[in-house]
Amino acid sequence: MQTERHLDITLVEAIHQRQSIRAFRPTPVPKQRLMEIIETARHAPSWGNTQPWEFAVVTGEPLARIKKGFELASEKSNWNPDINPPENFPEPYDTRRREIGRKMLEIKGIAREDTVRRRWWALQTMQLFGAPAAIYIYTDRGYMLQGRTEPSNIWPAFDCGMVAQNIMLLAVGHGLGTIAEIRAVSYPNVLREVLGLPDSKVFVLGLAIGYPDMGDPINRYRSPKEPVDAFTKWYGFSEPSKR
Ligand SMILES: Cc1cc2nc3c(=O)[nH]c(=O)nc-3n(C[C@H](O)[C@H](O)[C@H](O)COP(=O)(O)O)c2cc1C
């Protein structure tokens, strides 16, 4: 990825170039670029055009406070995101996610039993892999909870995913790298406190954003993707489906 602006890349190129970035350069991201990205990204679809997303775009001192706050919180308690992470991963999902985890540790040269360095890596994740900016995506607690205690309306999270993907693809055209992270919202009380947001807002996802450090081998890893035939059946076409 280049740092120069190259907005003329095609959507297909952006999709192929986007990858989760896990090492960033400290170079600040100009507000204007983030503004342009969000200006376009907001055209995402959503349930009944509800557009349930809200963004906190953060850099500099407040981001430093969030990163420090996450470090302190993680020393005291387990992560506690507003939307529960899955408790179980049925196959084949478990194998796939384990493979990513294993590969990351292998590239970083961290042994499975090395709890100190694994903790360091977890902290890197929570602290956005050095990204100088973040877009925290949040929504209304009442809309998501529907009067219950557990999130029972998944659709605002789905809609937030739509706009998040727009942001990540548009970022590529600005020479910026991103990673979507549940870990970035794993201590939402820290976020609410630093950002001055009420309890009525729930954090869905954090996007780390910045110029990628392509010298770091972690960013040269490309996650494997299933071939089309592995997850697609075709109906009504003249050529019969293979499955
Ligand atoms: C909802 C969501 C949450 C994620 N949370 C994390 C995270 O907390 N830490 C992390 O390292 N990657 C996280 N990722 C990135 C995935 O690991 C990554 O998208 C996946 O391995 C595929 O790689 P790719 O993005 O390079 O295609 C998350 C992705 C999504 C969509």
Side-chain angles (χ1 to χ4, degrees), residues 84-215:
N84 287 336
E87 282 175 21
N88 297 302
F89 292 85
E91 289 298 349
Y93 313 132
D94 198 40
T95 300
R96 290 181 195 155
R97 67 150 195 141
R98 280 180 191 282
E99 175 60 13
I100 289 292
R102 191 190 64 75
K103 205 68 203 175
M104 296 295 104
L105 294 183
E106 183 189 303
I107 294 169
K108 296 309 285 184
I110 302 172
R112 286 210 78 76
E113 57 283 0
D114 188 344
T115 49
V116 174
R117 293 212 65 219
R118 285 186 68 168
R119 154 111 191 104
W120 169 82
W121 182 238
L123 192 59
Q124 298 305 300
T125 311
M126 284 184 271
Q127 296 185 329
L128 312 171
F129 302 108
I135 301 176
Y136 296 100
I137 303 179
Y138 58 95
T139 189
D140 243 33
R141 190 183 294 274
Y143 181 41
M144 191 163 254
L145 294 184
Q146 303 282 298
R148 303 186 186 92
T149 49
E150 289 289 306
S152 50
N153 175 19
I154 66 154
W155 299 106
F158 183 91
D159 296 342
C160 287
M162 295 267 190
V163 78
Q165 175 73 339
N166 273 1
I167 291 172
M168 291 189 283
L169 293 178
L170 287 160
V172 178
H174 288 266
L176 289 162
T178 56
I179 181 167
E181 277 196 30
I182 183 68
R183 284 272 174 195
V185 292
S186 54
Y187 293 96
N189 287 340
V190 172
L191 294 172
R192 277 186 283 269
E193 192 192 319
V194 174
L195 303 172
L197 292 170
D199 218 39
S200 58
K201 302 294 179 188
V202 280
F203 284 89
V204 177
L205 198 61
L207 301 179
I209 188 159
Y211 298 101
D213 176 359
M214 294 313 284

Side-chain angles (χ1 to χ4, degrees), residues 66-76 119 123 127:
I66 289 170
K67 290 181 180 183
K68 188 68 193 166
F70 271 50
E71 182 177 352
L72 296 175
S74 67
E75 281 164 9
K76 286 188 223 133
R119 154 111 191 104
L123 192 59
Q127 296 185 329

